[in-house]
Every structure is written in C-alpha cells, then in structure tokens.
C-alpha cells in the first residue's frame, strides 16, 4: 500500500520527466510492457489463472 503523499509526488514528477503513463510501481510498468509486447501470451496466462480461480471456487 502506498501513502497518498508518495503517489501525489509521483504524479507530479511524471510530466516533469516526460512520462505520460504514470504507474505506482516498477512491477506494474513491467506488467503493462509484457501485456503490450506479447498479448497472446498474456491472454493465455490470464485464462489459465481464471481457470485456476474457478476451480478453487468450485471446490
């Protein structure tokens, strides 16, 4: 969990650094890059995760 002050600082620094997409963590940036660069692989992984969640929920 990020403090609101940390998020506000990042939001203010983003445009100064020339960033359009301001993300809370480096991990989120990496996730977006993977999703953009390998959409088919990302979708397969998302579907596999969804099946696992459904299986656990079904008991």
């Amino acid at each position: 969990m990020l403090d609101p002050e940390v998020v506000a600082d990042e939001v203010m620094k983003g445009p100064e650094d020339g960033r359009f997409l301001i993300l809370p963590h480096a991990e989120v940036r990496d996730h977006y890059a993977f999703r953009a660069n390998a959409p088919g692989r990302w979708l397969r992984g998302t579907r596999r995760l969804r099946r696992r969640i459904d299986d656990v929920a079904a008991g």
Side-chain angles (χ1 to χ4, degrees):
M1 183 76 106
L2 296 173
D3 289 328
E5 294 83 14
V6 173
V7 174
D9 288 342
E10 285 300 311
V11 168
M12 296 306 292
K13 280 192 265 179
E16 293 172 2
D17 296 342
R19 290 182 284 143
F20 175 77
L21 181 60
I22 302 167
L23 303 169
H25 299 283
E27 294 85 3
V28 174
R29 182 195 65 231
D30 296 343
H31 176 77
Y32 270 81
F34 175 74
R35 191 171 121 183
N37 292 319
R41 189 170 170 202
W42 180 82
L43 282 170
R44 284 190 300 276
T46 301
R47 289 181 189 125
R48 186 172 48 248
L49 176 61
R50 179 57 193 236
R51 281 193 303 273
R52 287 180 187 167
I53 291 169
D54 290 346
D55 290 347
V56 169

